[in-house]
Amino acid sequence: MHAVLRHQPESIGLVLDNEGWADIVALIKCAARHGKRLDFAIIEKIVDTNDKKRFAISADQKRIRAVQGHSTQQVNIRYQEKIPPAVLYHGTATRFLASIFKQGLIAGTRHYVHLSADKSTATKVGQRYGKAIILKIEAQLMYEQGFTFHQADNGVWLTKTVPVEYMSVVEHFQ
């Protein structure tokens, strides 16, 4: 479900709207055509137990979406602009550090750079890619200088880019 709702809905013939919503009945049918058994109870359990709260079911219980992290161009969720806290964090692997400090943090294939309000979440993210390193982002200063921030339903902070001058290394894990 993760890859389908965030990156490749077309891989099972699913269509997402501009806000990332998919019809749950269509998701179940498309999954079945590709050998995956889904029903509403399974989908609801995935949504409720996902540790990152990546998915949301609409109030009418008819649609589902990933709340952030899309790479598919058909989705362009209109998040409300929000004033960030003074500092946010970004977890990555040490092997990416040279590139990051050359070009800043960029969204790449995703729509936004993902930032965390706490170091522990950033650490978990960084450890997925190898030896973790935590970057401190001067988010309030960026905001004051015209950068836009949003916050997804699951608490992840989003911005289009983080230039090098707004970041520093705060923790390096062995």
Side-chain angles (χ1 to χ4, degrees), residues 96-127:
F96 301 133
L97 206 53
S99 172
I100 289 170
F101 275 99
K102 189 177 192 178
Q103 64 184 2
L105 290 172
I106 57 172
T109 60
R110 295 187 179 178
H111 297 191
Y112 296 97
V113 172
H114 297 180
L115 304 171
S116 305
D118 60 89
K119 287 187 216 176
S120 63
T121 301
T123 301
K124 289 176 193 168
V125 170
Q127 289 172 334

Side-chain angles (χ1 to χ4, degrees), residues 127-143:
Q127 289 172 334
R128 291 188 323 209
Y129 303 107
K131 226 183 258 187
I133 192 156
I134 307 306
L135 301 175
K136 176 182 169 185
I137 310 301
E138 299 295 337
Q140 184 68 47
L141 182 59
M142 284 180 63
Y143 180 79

Side-chain angles (χ1 to χ4, degrees), residues 11-42:
S11 70
I12 64 166
L14 188 66
V15 177
L16 306 180
D17 71 13
N18 286 348
E19 291 290 317
W21 291 108
D23 180 83
I24 290 176
V25 172
L27 173 61
I28 292 168
K29 287 178 181 177
C30 289
R33 282 195 298 268
H34 286 80
K36 302 290 183 191
R37 185 184 164 278
L38 276 181
D39 60 29
F40 189 80
I42 292 170

